[in-house]
Amino acid sequence: MTRRALFPFALAVLAAVPGSSGAQETPKPDAAKKEPSVDRRSAQAVNLRVQLVINRYQGDKKLASLPYTFVVTTSSSRASRMRMGVDTPVPVTSTPDGKLAMSIQYRTVGTNIDCLAIDRGDGRYQLTIGVENSSALPFEKGPSSGGVAPSVDANPTGSPLFRRFDTNLELWFRDGQSIQTIASTDPVTGEVVKIDVTVNVIP
């Protein structure tokens, strides 16, 4: 075999040898390319037991304590709702045809609570709470004493007075934490309303 014939044959052998300059390398994956980050805060639902207490004080004396307990789930897009109340009769007077007439209407008083929870993934839970509370004020005979309740003389119609407060709160909790969220003074009775909230993770 002549030297001219051997030269193309040698080139073909070199091309077939792994690692030679003529071999095509398989493209390597980009080492700098990372998987997209995933927000895992809502990947697993967490059940929270929420205790909300509405306390009323006259000075240092506690007059009433209304506790409410409910469960809220962090993965739910719908708020937990609680409705508790009573229909209170309200006398209504009218004068059809010039004659005095009385009828009874009903008004619901009580407590409405809405709560939405988000797991922030760092051991903290963000709660959005809406509270609405209403009640009928009792009457005393003669002038009111100590600003506890209005007197009949102050309202000669005899119709009950209704007090109401509502608030929206956005709070951050850890498991087992308690927070006094609000303190407000009733403008009629002088009572101070305080709301305490405690959150516990349900295992």
Side-chain angles (χ1 to χ4, degrees), residues 9 38 40 47 55 65 84 87-88 108 110 112-114 118-119 123-124 126 129 164 167 169-171 177 193:
F9 176 77
V38 179
R40 302 183 184 276
N47 293 322
N55 297 306
S65 182
M84 180 170 289
D87 291 337
T88 303
T108 302
N112 300 330
I113 300 174
D114 298 274
I118 300 175
D119 184 358
R124 297 185 300 167
Q126 180 183 353
I129 305 175
R164 182 180 68 89
T167 182
L169 309 168
E170 187 168 304
L171 307 164
Q177 186 176 6
V193 180

Side-chain angles (χ1 to χ4, degrees), residues 143-154:
S144 60
S145 58
V148 174
S151 67
V152 176
D153 297 338

Side-chain angles (χ1 to χ4, degrees), residues 159-194:
S159 300
L161 297 179
F162 294 91
R163 61 183 174 189
R164 182 180 68 89
F165 77 88
D166 61 83
T167 182
N168 290 285
L169 309 168
E170 187 168 304
L171 307 164
W172 294 65
F173 289 87
R174 294 189 181 275
D175 183 20
Q177 186 176 6
S178 298
I179 297 177
Q180 185 174 101
T181 61
I182 191 171
S184 178
T185 303
D186 190 307
V188 176
T189 64
E191 296 175 10
V192 176
V193 180
K194 297 181 181 181

Side-chain angles (χ1 to χ4, degrees), residues 113-143:
I113 300 174
D114 298 274
C115 182
L116 186 68
I118 300 175
D119 184 358
R120 287 304 178 184
D122 57 355
R124 297 185 300 167
Y125 304 93
Q126 180 183 353
L127 269 64
T128 302
I129 305 175
V131 182
E132 180 181 338
N133 177 263
S134 60
S135 59
L137 289 175
F139 287 97
E140 296 180 348
K141 294 182 179 180

Side-chain angles (χ1 to χ4, degrees), residues 32-43:
K33 188 176 182 181
K34 298 180 179 180
E35 293 293 330
S37 59
V38 179
D39 187 358
R40 302 183 184 276
R41 290 181 298 185
S42 59

Side-chain angles (χ1 to χ4, degrees), residues 98-112:
K99 296 180 179 180
L100 182 64
M102 180 178 291
S103 61
I104 298 295
Q105 297 181 357
Y106 286 86
R107 175 170 175 171
T108 302
V109 295
T111 303
N112 300 330

